[in-house]
Amino acid sequence: MKAFLTYMFIFFAAIGLTSCEIVGGIFKGGMWTGVILVVGVIAVVIWALSRAFGGGNRS
């Protein structure tokens, strides 16, 4: 149930926020906020991919 709620939140956030609104919000918050958010998203994607493909644990 918790996973379902998480997916529903992501789904409605994706529908409710257009890319223009997100970019506008980042620039309103400042360049460094945008840089931190982009670095954070890239780090999460790399972490998720490493978890999905084994993360270098080759036994």
Side-chain angles (χ1 to χ4, degrees), residues 5-23:
L5 291 175
T6 302
Y7 289 130
M8 289 303 293
F9 173 75
I10 292 171
F11 175 74
F12 285 117
I15 289 175
L17 297 173
T18 64
S19 60
C20 293
E21 290 176 358
I22 293 171
V23 171

Side-chain angles (χ1 to χ4, degrees), residues 19-47:
S19 60
C20 293
E21 290 176 358
I22 293 171
V23 171
I26 288 172
F27 281 113
K28 282 183 185 177
M31 185 184 78
W32 286 110
T33 304
V35 169
I36 291 170
L37 285 174
V38 168
V39 169
V41 168
I42 291 172
V44 168
V45 168
I46 290 171
W47 174 80

